[in-house]
Each structure stands twice: as C-alpha cells, then as structure tokens.
Amino acid sequence: MDGAFFDGRTSRPHQVDVAISEGALLFEAGGTRHAWPLEGLRVEVLGDRVRLSCDAGADGRLTLSRADWRAVLGRHGRRVEARGRRREGRVVLSLAAVGLTMAAIVFVGLPAASGPLARHTPPDLERQIGDSFDAQLGLGMKTCSGGEGQAALARFGHQLQARTGTPFDIRVRAVRAPFANAMALPGGRILVTDKLIAFTRTPDELSAVIAHEVAHVERRHVMQAMWRSLGAGLLLDLVVGGGSGAGQQAVLLAGSASDLRYSRRAEAEADARGMELLQAEGLSSQGMAPFFRRVAAGDGEKAASPLRELVSSHPDSLRRAQVSAAHARPGAAAFDTQAWASIRAACPPARAPH
Amino acid sequence: MFNSDNPTPEGVETLTFAQKVRLGSFLGLSVKNGLLNLVTLTLYRFWGRTEVRRRLWQAIYLNDEPFEYTGRGGELFRGFLYAMLLVGLPLLVVVAGAQFLGPKFAALIIFPIYLFLFVLFGFARFSAFRYLASRTLWRGVRFQLKGSRIRYGFSYLGYLLLSVITLGWFWPAAERRLAGPLWDGLRFGDRRFRFSLDAARKIPIYRAFIPAALVFGVLYFAVMGVIFAIRFAAQKAQPAAPDGAMIVLIYAMLLPLSVLGVLIFAPYQAARLRSVVAGISLEDARFRLEVKWWGMAMLELGNLLLLIISLGLLFPVVEARTARFLISRLKSTGTADLASAVQAPRGPGTGEGLADAFGAINL
Ligand SMILES: [Zn+2]
C-alpha cells in the first residue's frame, strides 16, 4: 500500500510502498529500510488518513489512508487506540488520588494538627508575629487618647490573665476604627474598637467581650487559625497555582469555607471559657447574652442578612446568646462607675466623620 | 498528499493554510475536561490543555499536511511544580518575611518585587512560546524558538513602563514590538522566520487605536460617574443601604461595558493582528491575515459570551473558534523551501510553569 513518509531528520517527503510482515510495517525511504513493529505504534486519525509514529521511528511519521490502515490491521488497530485510553485512566486516577490527599490534608489533617502546632509554637515567635501584626494594624487603627480609660482596660486584662496561666502579657487597648469589633492578636494583644465600646451598654457587656478575647489568647486560637490558613493557603495554592479560572476559584472558596467551620468552633470555645474566667473572678457573666442578642437584632449595626452570616466569622449570634444566657451567673461589675465612664470617654469623637 | 514531483526548484513551495476544526469535538472535550478537573481539584488541567492542543494542531493544515502537537500533560505539570518551588515559594517567603520586619520595610521590598514580577511575566511568556514551538511538528520536523528569555522579560518591563509613562499611548507599539522576538526567533527546523518591524508598520494601528481609546475612555468615566451618582443618592436616601445591591449594580454595568469595549477595540485588535502577521516572513514567503473588524468583533463577543455563560468551562471551544477564525484568514504569497528543513533539537523538557501561574497562556 502507498504511504507518505517523513524521516524526522529533514522535512523531505518520501513516497513509500508499505508492506506488512511478522507484525511490523516494512518500507524503504531514501535507501534506508524501516521496520516499525505494530505493537507500540501510535496512531492519529486525521479524517480519511492516519498518521503513525513509534519509538523505533523517533520523529519519523508515516501517513496511510484510513481504509488501508483498517483493512490491514483490522482489530489490531483498535487495540492500539485502547492503550492510549488506559494510560489516560491511570493519569486521572493518580491525579484524583493526589487531589483527594490534598483535600484530606487541608480539610481534616491541618485543622486537627493546628491545635498541637499552635501549642508548640514558641511564645517568642508568636509575640514577634503579634508585634508585626500590631504595627500593620496600627497604620489604620490609631490608639485612642484617653489614658484613664486605657488604664482601666489594661487593668482588667491583667486581672483575667492571672486566672489563665498564659505565657503572654495580655494588653487590652482601645483603638479607633470604622467598625465595631474586638480582636485578639497573636502574642496577647487585644484591640477593642471605639465603635464597639459605644455599642456596649453595660460594663458587663464589655467585660464579656474582652473575656472572650482573653480566652482566644489563652487557647492560642489565633495561632491555630494562622497555622490552618497558612497550610491550607500553601497547599491549595500549590494545587491551583495563581490560576484565575472558575474551577480554581471554587477550590480556594471551599478552602476558606472549611476554615470558617473551624473558626466557629473556636468562637464557641472562647464564649464558654470567657464566662468561666469571669465567674472565677467573681464577676458577672450576664453581659454576653444581651450583647449577642442585640448584635443578632442588628441594633445599631446593619441588619444581619443571611449572606452576612455566611461570610462572618462571628456568626449565629442568636444561638450564642441563648447558650450564654443558659450559663450566665450574676456577680460584681468588672468596671466601677468611674472606670466605666473613663472607658466610654477613652475615644473622644474624631474631628471629622471618616 | 504532497508534491514531491513538483516542477518548481527542489522543495520550494508556496504556503497554503487550511483548517478542519470541528467545534462539536471541542464541546465534548470541554465537558470532559471540566468533569475531570472537578475530580482532581483542577490538577487535570495540564492534561486537558494538552489534549485541546493536540486536537487543534492536527486540525490545522499547511500544504495538506496537518501539524502535530507532541507536548505531554506531565511536562506541563512538572513545569508548574518547578515554577511553584523555584519562584512561587521564594517569593512568598520574601513577601511574608518583609511583612514580618515591619510595614516600612515591606513597602521598600514590595516595590522592586512588583517590577521583578513584570520581568518574570515576560520571561514566562517567552518560555511558553518556546515550549509550544518545540512541541509543534510539521512533516516530522520540530519548530524551535531562539532568543533570550531574560532579555524578553526586561523588554516587557521596559515597554510596560513606557506605556504607563505615556498614559497608554505607547502600548500598541509595545505590543507590536513584543511580537518581534517571538517570530524573529522562530525556526522551522533550521529554517529561519524573520520579523520586520518596517513591514509590520505598513499596516497602521494607531489609526484604529486612538478613536477606540478616546471613546472607551469617555464611556468608562461616564459609567463610573453613573455608579458614583447612584451610590451617593442611595446613601442620602437610606444610609444603611445594603452593599449587595451596589455590587449587583456594578456588575450590571460592567457587562455592557465589556461588551462595548470589545466592539470598540475590535478594529484595533484586527489591525494589530494584521500588522504583526504582515511583519512575518519565511524566506521569500510573506504572510497576510485577512481579518476585518466586524469579524473580529463577532469572534470576541461570541467568546466573551461563551465564557460568561459557562463560567469558563467552554474555554476549549473558545480556543477552537479563535484558531478556526485566524487560520481560515491566514494567507501567504511567495515561496519557501519547506522540504529541506533539518530537524531541530528537542527543546526544553518542561514548559509553561510560570505562565500557568500567571494565567498568561492563550493557546
Ligand atoms: Zn471570637
């Protein structure tokens, strides 16, 4: 049968006469005899012809009419193509295994390991990270000027610290920010925003929020979250690259959703431990429930839409209010009237609205 | 099949391009790739992309002989891993370390890294083309791309800075110049392609660029103005207006803006492609791309729509449409000795790792 042959050394075309013998294609081109074993032939179907290549032929390419190819090889030709499909199946299976392993590490392994990892992080390193965080946050959130109020907050932080056995010096301070929130940084710093102080109605509410943050510090939740997101971020980035495709974005989104699940668990833990700390000091733990109830009702804040709750890391305020109410006990106020007044005045109104 | 008994001097031929791209085949492939990407956390994408190219290359014919793509998914995968380990990870460490050392230090170190990233982008682009060339076979002979990737990276940065300084004025010229090394360094076996800026300049691009840029600029600021006006009005009427509505509004405005953008810039895109192709030659063969702005606009609008509707799933179809569009408009006059090219070396063992990370690959 007729064939067209390129020998892979130059682009010169050769018309060849192809014979079949002992399981090989035999042909001669430019004075060289070629024998290509049928076993191991690679086949490309191109409309009414096929292009053949094989390891023995290196870059050489032999083109036959599809009819010739079918007629001569019969069932053999189909087996050659099936081999390619098996090979792809193996690739997909191993990739799926790699993907599954990565997913297991990100969604199960890392969260499980983040607790021990956080506990074994040297406190000095955590302090350093916290300092760096604080310096960066400080660019946007200026420390409030009211010295007396700041002192009252700091005193309360140290009071709870004595109950915890944390290696960190807990330093609570009020900062100016465009939102109501309190946050624990790595290494024991706790920031309370002016909007949050304005939002709380009683000393009990504010002390409950601060106790919650102290519990985060004690349990090293921030370090845990950092390990989790560092590991997940690294691994998922390794999988998807910097890619911007829809599939790649979906994988990253799944990663952050998983992180959210674990941060909810940490919130519940901090709620409970925070109340414990207050009760151990003989202080009232009744501020938590009304605080969360008002957050849930959207008092003073934008209404908590379903979307908001999904993306917020302090979700489900109503449920948290109920749990807190069930465990609340009366006690002394954390701040006396004078301290409370100085805290309320710690962040005098800014000169101009932001 | 071919003309070995051609009466012209030995091996000398004119070049005739043809394509037999069947979009249906790429539709099925899109679905398959999408499913396998899902199962493998998108790791299959390297093999998926390889299969798209294999099918595309073999549907493109030059003088009745189809091209062949010999790249492998594993090569792309390994290239990606190397890029992550050798570039991604060190960059991450440096950036994280800089933040650790304080905000001022971070700013100091982030800026040069930013510049370096643009060099890297150019480097990645050249590498990707080099890999593609080395995995493209015709008549059993490989293509190769010669030239310095580092130099290309720095010219990319230079042209980009020039464009920024000139408020975008230089960008069309930059795009044309950046095509130069990619074509001037290209060889079919040992047969050298040439890129002549003078030949490319015979087709004007600024004539199409200036009105497009002006119209789009006005349109852009008008839309932004409308968005801010609505936002301002909404804030006055109802201070606690939900952000969601605002986001919907912005997206609702962006879609028509991008459609209009495609339409407005289509004449420029068509002119740019015509200009670059006019600059290419292979021995005595010169090339011509018969792309009109209307065809270009329809192609790009269709692609945009397909990608939006399918959330990117139909990217293989978009590539196939684009290849079909371009190849069926690619013409050549003059002759080249296509029968005596001597085989090129194997080329790089892995490819495109960096380009993948930058999302900088088209085709
Ligand atoms: Zn919390």
Side-chain angles (χ1 to χ4, degrees):
Chain A
M1 58 195 156
D2 285 336
F5 180 62
F6 297 102
D7 65 8
R9 283 191 281 275
T10 74
S11 55
R12 177 177 310 280
H14 301 272
Q15 294 269 18
V16 292
D17 187 29
V18 182
I20 256 199
S21 161
E22 288 168 21
L25 295 175
L26 303 177
F27 54 95
E28 192 186 318
T32 312
R33 304 180 65 85
H34 299 268
W36 285 12
L38 292 178
E39 201 67 41
L41 271 188
R42 289 183 294 269
V43 188
E44 255 184 299
V45 178
L46 305 162
D48 56 357
R49 40 184 154 151
V50 292
R51 186 160 54 192
L52 305 175
S53 57
C54 67
D55 291 340
D59 297 318
R61 296 293 184 269
L62 177 67
T63 304
L64 301 174
S65 85
R66 204 169 168 189
D68 278 350
W69 171 247
R70 271 216 201 98
V72 175
L73 294 178
R75 293 160 54 83
H76 199 103
R78 225 148 277 139
R79 274 233 303 282
V80 172
E81 283 162 55
R83 223 191 338 263
R85 230 166 281 141
R86 262 210 306 282
R87 184 195 170 86
E88 178 168 37
R90 273 205 305 275
V91 167
V92 170
L93 272 182
S94 16
L95 287 179
V98 172
L100 213 67
T101 312
M102 292 288 211
I105 293 175
V106 168
F107 299 128
V108 184
L110 264 174
S114 68
L117 272 173
R119 276 197 294 282
H120 288 100
T121 306
D124 270 343
L125 179 65
E126 185 172 335
R127 253 178 233 121
Q128 244 176 310
I129 296 173
D131 288 349
S132 156
F133 266 38
D134 196 29
Q136 281 176 58
L137 286 175
L139 296 177
M141 296 190 271
K142 301 289 178 213
T143 301
C144 293
S145 54
E148 221 180 303
Q150 296 284 26
L153 287 171
R155 243 187 344 264
F156 177 57
H158 283 130
Q159 185 186 351
L160 292 186
Q161 179 190 338
R163 285 273 161 199
T164 59
T166 175
F168 299 115
D169 181 25
I170 289 182
R171 285 153 294 170
V172 185
R173 74 173 200 269
V175 295
R176 203 182 289 287
F179 49 84
N181 207 349
M183 63 212 90
L185 305 185
R189 279 200 181 82
I190 291 170
L191 308 186
V192 183
T193 71
D194 54 342
K195 293 258 187 332
L196 182 100
I197 293 173
F199 180 77
T200 54
R201 287 191 178 156
T202 61
D204 284 3
E205 285 189 18
L206 183 61
S207 61
V209 170
I210 292 174
H212 168 98
E213 299 304 329
V214 171
H216 275 320
V217 172
E218 184 195 19
R219 296 284 155 95
R220 302 184 86 170
H221 283 155
V222 186
M223 211 55 221
Q224 249 179 55
M226 276 187 67
W227 277 116
R228 247 188 353 251
S229 63
L230 186 74
L234 271 179
L235 278 179
L236 290 183
D237 266 350
L238 193 66
V239 171
V240 305
S244 49
Q248 285 154 299
Q249 290 306 311
V251 170
L252 293 179
L253 203 65
S256 60
S258 147
D259 197 52
L260 193 60
R261 202 154 47 87
Y262 286 95
S263 68
R264 282 183 188 192
R265 193 176 295 169
E267 290 315 316
E269 203 184 321
D271 284 351
R273 177 63 181 156
M275 291 173 74
E276 246 176 64
L277 288 173
L278 290 171
Q279 287 160 10
E281 279 293 296
L283 298 174
S284 159
S285 56
Q286 287 173 316
M288 195 77 101
F291 175 80
F292 279 129
R293 220 170 279 131
R294 287 195 303 116
V295 170
D299 188 4
E301 276 290 286
K302 286 173 186 173
S305 70
L307 180 78
R308 248 193 141 68
E309 172 156 319
L310 239 162
V311 298
S312 159
S313 59
H314 275 209
D316 211 357
S317 303
L318 208 55
R319 197 175 44 88
R320 286 170 77 184
Q322 283 159 2
V323 174
S324 312
H327 296 93
R329 265 187 250 148
F335 308 109
D336 60 23
T337 321
Q338 197 194 338
W340 178 239
S342 67
I343 291 170
R344 303 281 292 178
C347 305
R351 293 143 299 268
H354 62 271
Chain B
M1 215 164 275
F2 51 85
N3 300 318
S4 57
D5 45 7
N6 204 320
T8 48
E10 202 191 5
V12 168
E13 301 161 62
T14 55
L15 283 70
T16 309
F17 293 92
Q19 53 82 23
K20 297 181 182 171
V21 177
R22 289 180 303 114
L23 290 185
S25 137
F26 288 88
L27 191 68
L29 187 57
S30 298
V31 173
K32 178 190 158 196
N33 285 353
L35 286 176
L36 291 179
N37 276 335
L38 201 71
V39 180
T40 60
L41 282 184
T42 76
L43 282 177
Y44 183 74
R45 63 186 186 275
F46 307 102
W47 283 264
R49 190 184 300 146
T50 297
E51 178 61 18
V52 170
R53 284 179 190 164
R54 211 181 57 76
R55 285 198 202 179
L56 215 48
W57 264 232
Q58 68 185 20
I60 297 171
Y61 289 69
L62 169 56
N63 290 4
D64 207 29
E65 173 70 20
F67 285 87
E68 181 182 345
Y69 182 71
T70 61
R72 308 286 288 268
E75 292 168 352
L76 294 184
F77 183 52
R78 280 202 307 279
F80 168 74
L81 288 185
Y82 291 153
M84 289 308 266
L85 283 176
L86 297 180
V87 181
L89 208 62
L91 266 180
L92 205 73
V93 168
V94 169
V95 171
Q99 295 206 329
F100 200 66
L101 291 171
K104 280 194 197 99
F105 198 78
L108 209 69
I109 211 162
I110 300 278
F111 183 67
I113 283 186
Y114 213 61
L115 291 184
F116 173 69
L117 278 181
F118 284 113
V119 176
L120 215 57
F121 188 91
F123 182 91
R125 191 172 169 202
F126 196 91
S127 308
F129 271 90
R130 197 178 67 161
Y131 173 77
L132 268 187
S134 73
R135 298 303 187 268
T136 300
L137 216 72
W138 185 73
R139 290 188 176 173
V141 169
R142 272 183 291 279
F143 286 72
Q144 58 175 326
L145 179 57
K146 293 206 168 183
S148 162
R149 298 183 283 172
I150 295 171
R151 203 214 237 124
Y152 192 79
F154 277 102
S155 17
Y156 188 84
L157 175 67
Y159 289 146
L160 203 71
L161 289 179
L162 261 177
S163 301
V164 170
I165 291 168
T166 57
L167 297 174
W169 173 259
F170 184 69
W171 185 239
E175 282 198 291
R176 186 155 62 185
R177 279 161 186 267
L178 283 168
L182 299 178
W183 290 104
D184 206 48
L186 186 67
R187 286 159 171 73
F188 167 55
D190 60 344
R191 299 279 141 170
R192 184 165 182 188
F193 282 79
R194 298 276 178 184
F195 183 80
S196 151
L197 206 52
D198 287 335
R201 281 203 185 105
K202 292 217 170 75
I203 293 181
I205 47 176
Y206 275 91
R207 201 180 289 168
F209 179 73
I210 295 167
L214 288 178
V215 171
F216 189 77
V218 169
L219 204 71
Y220 179 81
F221 283 111
V223 166
M224 287 302 144
V226 168
I227 287 179
F228 275 111
I230 292 176
R231 194 170 180 177
F232 188 71
Q235 249 171 10
K236 270 211 151 157
Q238 190 192 357
D243 303 333
M246 206 58 225
I247 291 168
V248 170
L249 174 76
I250 288 173
Y251 274 95
M253 306 280 275
L254 279 184
L255 182 65
L257 191 66
S258 51
V259 167
L260 279 173
V262 163
L263 278 176
I264 291 168
F265 278 105
Y268 164 65
Q269 293 297 357
R272 180 178 67 87
L273 288 175
R274 283 200 306 268
S275 171
V276 167
V277 171
I280 303 168
S281 61
L282 174 63
E283 293 168 8
D284 294 329
R286 311 204 58 90
F287 299 90
R288 186 172 80 250
L289 192 66
E290 295 176 340
V291 171
K292 303 256 172 28
W293 80 270
W294 180 244
M296 194 76 208
M298 286 301 105
L299 172 78
E300 292 198 316
L301 277 185
N303 287 350
L304 185 70
L305 221 65
L306 283 173
L307 287 180
I308 290 176
I309 291 172
S310 71
L311 292 177
L313 183 78
L314 290 180
F315 193 63
V317 176
V318 165
E319 290 184 300
R321 283 185 86 223
T322 308
R324 195 176 65 165
F325 176 85
L326 293 176
I327 296 300
S328 57
R329 284 161 180 77
L330 180 59
K331 304 287 187 278
S332 175
T333 51
T335 57
D337 182 357
L338 296 178
S340 45
V342 175
Q343 185 63 289
R346 286 210 170 275
T350 61
E352 297 177 10
L354 274 174
D356 183 79
F358 281 118
I361 299 169
N362 20 37
L363 274 188

